[in-house]
Amino acid sequence: MSTDVSGMIECRPGARLWGPDDEDSVWHAAIDLFLLNDGNAYDALACLFGIRNSFGFRPLAEGRGFPSDASEGLRTEYAAYGGSADVHGTTQITWAELASTDWQEADSSGTRSRDMVAGDGTHWGPVWSVMRTLSALHGADNVRLVVWFAAIASDSASGERA
């Protein structure tokens, strides 16, 4: 079994203008993670979300669940996965949290830093770039990444997904 990550970046444009509690400060789906992240390295999933964390990272955003105030676009995308028994673990993290992360913090062995496994120079770089840009426009607390994980069976003879 392998683990795949799916998700979406959302932003809340109205919050910067009217405040986060205003009725018009709702989350909007910005871009699907599928379009930005072409990798599935387990050390990065461990570092960021605590998934398959045999590396001993202190996860940044483990087990926070699906946001109750999710955008309609995110709800629609998640619904395609949400009914599956294979989905496990949903979490979220804001750009404000990511921007304040100590990217030099290492795993328990001291050999892998957050930057090495999930920094700008990895397959997560395009995700961070989009979030950074949206943050400049809408504020760091008004941009978030919501992710979920699915177990994918592999055909052991060919190594291909079933």
Side-chain angles (χ1 to χ4, degrees):
M1 284 273 173
S2 66
T3 300
D4 274 356
V5 61
S6 299
M8 184 169 285
I9 297 171
E10 293 185 299
C11 64
R12 194 168 45 171
R16 191 168 201 176
L17 299 172
W18 304 295
D21 297 326
D22 188 89
E23 65 183 24
D24 292 324
S25 295
V26 297
W27 290 96
H28 294 269
I31 189 166
D32 193 305
L33 185 61
F34 173 76
L35 299 172
L36 300 171
N37 183 344
D38 62 357
N40 198 32
Y42 290 151
D43 52 359
L45 296 182
C47 165
L48 297 170
F49 312 116
I51 298 298
R52 292 187 174 246
N53 196 3
S54 61
F55 302 94
F57 276 105
R58 187 178 54 85
L60 296 178
E62 183 176 22
R64 295 179 175 178
F66 191 83
S68 60
D69 58 352
S71 67
E72 188 59 37
L74 176 60
R75 289 181 190 282
T76 299
E77 183 68 21
Y78 182 74
Y81 296 88
S84 171
D86 291 334
V87 169
H88 59 92
T90 303
T91 195
Q92 55 191 293
I93 190 166
T94 66
W95 180 251
E97 293 172 290
L98 288 162
S100 67
T101 293
D102 175 2
W103 288 95
Q104 298 313 309
E105 183 179 332
D107 65 1
S108 61
S109 72
T111 59
R112 292 179 194 87
S113 70
R114 292 187 186 285
D115 187 56
M116 288 171 60
V117 302
D120 281 330
T122 71
H123 62 271
W124 285 92
V127 177
W128 308 150
S129 179
V130 168
M131 291 182 77
R132 188 179 294 111
T133 299
L134 289 170
S135 171
L137 295 168
H138 306 297
D141 288 320
N142 300 314
V143 177
R144 69 181 173 199
L145 173 64
V146 180
V147 295
W148 56 92
F149 309 92
I152 306 296
S154 297
D155 177 349
S156 59
S158 69
E160 293 184 22
R161 292 182 182 162

